[in-house]
Amino acid sequence: MINSLKQYFAGEGQFADLGVASVENDYSWKIPKKMFDGRLINYPGSNFEANVALKKDLSRRWANEPGDREKITKWIISNWGGIHGNKKSTINFYCREAQDANPKTPLKGIASFSKVLGVKDPDTYAIYDARVAVSLNAVQFLSEEKSGL
């Protein structure tokens, strides 16, 4: 399975024209017009580059502006992430838990919480949502793996 994932990410074999190298051309995630503080968002480059710049900007602000973390958390989940069903208490929990050095990652709400962790520390955490789950399952299926992860 690990070799199949490596092939996918490298865009090799049956996964040619896919993988990390194709992300910049294929990635399309809408960026809201305004940041959590009302500032207009206008990052240069491709949609992929703009999303990366936004994530880095939010990560810097998370680290340097602790008083804005609740607003950042809500904005990441609702505005940028498109998940509108979380209660205020749930968003506040994600914000508090994300500040822990070793945050608990419950399966319930992982799509929302992983978005926050991915901004808090993008070099450590990745987003895990339905698109990621489907993609990982598709790689396993297309690879005809007998023992999936």
Side-chain angles (χ1 to χ4, degrees), residues 5 11 16 18 22 42 45 56 62 67 83 95 106 116 127-128 135 143 147:
L5 289 170
L18 298 172
S22 69
N42 186 21
K56 287 179 179 179
W62 178 277
I83 301 172
C95 181
V116 178
I127 293 173
Y128 185 79
S135 297
S143 300
S147 178

Side-chain angles (χ1 to χ4, degrees), residues 8-11 17-26 48:
Y8 170 74
F9 290 116
D17 299 324
L18 298 172
V20 175
S22 69
V23 169
E24 188 155 344
N25 295 327
D26 296 340
F48 173 76

Side-chain angles (χ1 to χ4, degrees), residues 20-63:
V20 175
S22 69
V23 169
E24 188 155 344
N25 295 327
D26 296 340
Y27 189 84
S28 61
W29 187 260
K30 187 177 178 186
I31 294 179
K33 294 184 187 308
K34 291 184 179 181
M35 187 70 82
F36 68 92
D37 58 3
R39 179 175 62 96
L40 291 176
I41 297 174
N42 186 21
Y43 296 100
S46 68
N47 182 262
F48 173 76
E49 290 169 326
N51 271 280
V52 170
L54 173 58
K55 190 175 196 178
K56 287 179 179 179
D57 189 11
L58 286 167
S59 182
R60 277 190 298 276
R61 294 181 81 174
W62 178 277

Side-chain angles (χ1 to χ4, degrees), residues 96-107:
R96 281 190 314 276
E97 191 61 34
Q99 294 177 63
D100 194 309
N102 189 20
K104 297 177 194 82
T105 52
L107 290 178

